[in-house]
Amino acid sequence: AFAEKTEPEAVSEENAVEIEETELISEDTEENLVTETVTAEVEAKTDESANDSCETENILTEESISFEENEMDDALTENAEPEAVSEENAVEIEDISADTTEEITDVNEKTQELSQEPAAEEPAVIYPLIRLRGITKTYKTGAIETKALRGIDLDIEEGEFIVILGESGSGKTTLLNIIGGIDSVTEGEYLFRGESMVTADEKTLNTFRKDTVSFIFQSYNLLEDLTAKENLRLVTALTEGSIDPETALASVGLARKVDFYPSQLSGGEQQRVSIARALAKRPKLILADEPTAALDSDNGIEVLDILHNITKIEGCTTILITHNPEIARMADRVLRIKGGKIAEVTENKEPVGAFDLRW
C-alpha cells in the first residue's frame, strides 16, 4: 500500500535493470531471512524435541522400574496368598481351621493345668520314735579307757514296752542314759523322731528332758522334806499340760497319802510316788532303771502293772532295765545286752500281764 502511494518515477533502462537486480537481491535476502528463521525454529524445535525425548526416556525408565516392582509385588502376593477357592472349599478350610484352633486351645489349657499342678513330692521318710546307729561310749579315767558300748544299732517304735536284760556292767544303764539325753555318745547317731540328739545344743536337750522324758530310778529320788504331793508339784510347775498331783497320786493308789512324807511311806509306796511323778508330766518316753529291784514281789508286780497300763492307756513308750528274766514275759520285745553290744532281740507274740508274773 505504501509502495502504491509512493510509486517512483520512471527510470532509465539502466536504472531499471539496477532496480530489478536490487529487487531480486531483496527477494533473495528475504528468502534467506525466511530460511534462516525457519532453520532457527527447526533447530529450536529439534532441541525441544531432544529435551522432550530425554524427559520421555526418563519417564519411561521410571515407569519401567515401577512396572517391574509391581510385577515383583504381584508375584510375591501370588506366592503368599492362596489361590481363590470355591465356596465349598472355603467352608471346609474354615472347619479345619476351627478344629485346629480348638485342638491348640485344648493343648494350651492342658499345658497350663499341668504347669499349675505342684510337682510330685518325694515321699517323706518315716522314722521310728528312736533310732540308734553305731552308738559307742568310752569313759576315760586317766590313762584307762572303759568301753561301755561297742556299736549299738536299734529302732524303737512308739507305744512299745521294751525290757532290757543284762548283767551288771554290760552297758544297760549307759544305753538308757544316752536315750534319755543325760549322757552323750562317743561315736554314732541318735535320732529321736528324726531329729539328731547328738548335734543338739544344751537348750534343746533341756527341753527334751523336761517335756518328753520321765525317769524312774531304783532309789526313788524323793525329797525327804516334801510331801508326796509337793514332790510332784516340783515337776508339774515346770511342765505345761501336766496332770494335777493329786490326780496322778490317785492313779497309783495313793489318794489318801498325798500329804505323807517319804519317811512315812513304805518302799513300794515311795516307788509309786516316783511313778506318779513320772506320769504327771504326760511324757512320750518313760525310762525305768531297775524300778522293782528294792521291792518285794507283790509291790514289784503292782509297780509293773502301773507302768504297763500307762504305756497302753497313755500311748507312751516304756524302756525298762531289769535283772529279772520273769519281767521280760510282759514286754513287746526283749533286748539282751552283753559286753556293750546287743546280743539278742526277742519278740513276744503274746505278752502277759503283770499279775501273771511269778518270782
Side-chain angles (χ1 to χ4, degrees):
F2 178 77
E4 289 178 357
K5 291 179 179 180
T6 59
E7 291 181 353
E9 294 181 356
V11 293
S12 63
E13 183 177 355
E14 183 178 354
N15 289 337
V17 172
E18 292 178 355
I19 292 170
E20 185 177 357
E21 290 178 354
T22 301
E23 288 178 353
L24 291 171
I25 293 170
S26 297
E27 289 178 0
D28 293 338
T29 302
E30 185 176 357
E31 287 179 359
N32 290 335
L33 289 173
V34 171
T35 302
E36 290 176 358
T37 301
V38 171
T39 302
E41 289 179 357
V42 169
E43 289 177 354
K45 289 189 173 294
T46 302
D47 292 339
E48 184 177 353
S49 298
N51 291 334
D52 290 344
S53 176
C54 290
E55 290 179 0
T56 302
E57 184 177 355
N58 291 335
I59 291 170
L60 289 175
T61 302
E62 291 178 357
E63 288 180 352
S64 176
I65 293 171
S66 175
F67 178 76
E68 290 178 357
E69 290 179 350
N70 289 336
E71 283 186 337
M72 292 178 67
D73 290 342
D74 292 342
L76 291 174
T77 302
E78 289 177 359
N79 291 333
E81 295 180 357
E83 295 181 356
V85 295
S86 65
E87 183 177 354
E88 182 177 355
N89 290 337
V91 172
E92 291 181 359
I93 292 173
E94 185 176 356
D95 292 340
I96 294 172
S97 177
D99 293 341
T100 304
T101 303
E102 186 176 354
E103 290 177 359
I104 293 173
T105 303
D106 291 341
V107 170
N108 290 336
E109 289 178 354
K110 290 179 180 179
T111 303
Q112 186 175 5
E113 290 176 359
L114 290 174
S115 64
Q116 292 176 352
E117 292 180 358
E121 297 182 357
E122 295 183 1
V125 178
I126 300 176
Y127 290 97
L129 180 69
I130 295 170
R131 170 161 288 177
L132 305 176
R133 290 293 181 270
I135 297 296
T136 66
K137 180 64 180 179
T138 302
Y139 295 101
K140 293 183 179 181
T141 306
I144 301 174
E145 290 187 353
T146 302
K147 294 184 178 181
L149 298 177
R150 299 170 180 268
I152 299 293
D153 294 332
L154 178 63
D155 287 346
I156 297 176
E157 302 292 342
E158 289 199 51
E160 280 195 287
F161 190 97
I162 303 292
V163 170
I164 299 178
L165 295 174
E167 300 176 354
S168 297
S170 61
K172 302 186 304 299
T173 301
T174 300
L175 177 59
L176 205 68
N177 290 341
I178 288 174
I179 292 174
I182 60 176
D183 203 351
S184 60
V185 304
T186 301
E187 293 180 352
E189 184 63 75
Y190 168 26
L191 302 179
F192 186 87
R193 288 183 170 171
E195 299 294 330
S196 176
M197 304 304 294
V198 175
T199 59
D201 56 23
E202 193 60 31
K203 182 179 179 181
T204 301
L205 291 174
N206 284 335
T207 302
F208 172 71
R209 290 187 290 259
K210 178 173 69 71
D211 297 335
T212 305
V213 183
S214 285
F215 287 90
I216 301 173
F217 301 100
Q218 178 180 346
S219 57
Y220 320 138
N221 289 342
L222 300 176
L223 297 178
E224 294 292 334
D225 295 335
L226 300 178
T227 64
K229 180 172 62 179
E230 291 169 343
N231 269 278
L232 267 66
R233 191 166 290 160
L234 287 174
V235 173
T236 58
L238 299 174
T239 308
E240 296 181 1
S242 57
I243 300 173
D244 177 73
E246 293 187 8
T247 302
L249 288 167
S251 68
V252 295
L254 296 174
R256 296 181 179 182
K257 297 186 177 182
V258 295
D259 294 323
F260 281 42
Y261 290 93
S263 60
Q264 296 173 313
L265 301 172
S266 67
E269 289 172 336
Q270 290 184 59
Q271 190 64 293
R272 291 186 197 181
V273 173
S274 67
I275 292 173
R277 181 179 58 193
L279 174 63
K281 67 181 198 177
R282 298 181 186 276
K284 299 296 185 293
L285 179 63
I286 294 177
L287 304 177
D289 190 359
E290 300 276 4
T292 62
L295 303 177
D296 58 52
S297 61
D298 292 339
N299 284 314
I301 288 173
E302 289 181 1
V303 167
L304 291 172
D305 184 60
I306 293 170
L307 287 174
H308 190 264
N309 290 336
I310 290 173
T311 302
K312 301 306 177 184
I313 295 172
E314 299 295 331
C316 63
T317 302
T318 299
I319 303 175
L320 183 148
I321 291 175
T322 183
H323 286 95
N324 189 344
E326 181 67 11
I327 297 175
R329 293 176 57 206
M330 65 182 297
D332 295 314
R333 283 192 297 161
V334 180
L335 310 180
R336 294 182 182 274
I337 294 183
K338 185 175 182 180
K341 296 181 180 180
I342 297 177
E344 183 182 1
V345 178
T346 303
E347 182 177 351
N348 286 333
K349 295 182 180 180
E350 296 181 0
V352 301
F355 289 102
D356 294 325
L357 302 178
R358 297 289 182 271
W359 74 82

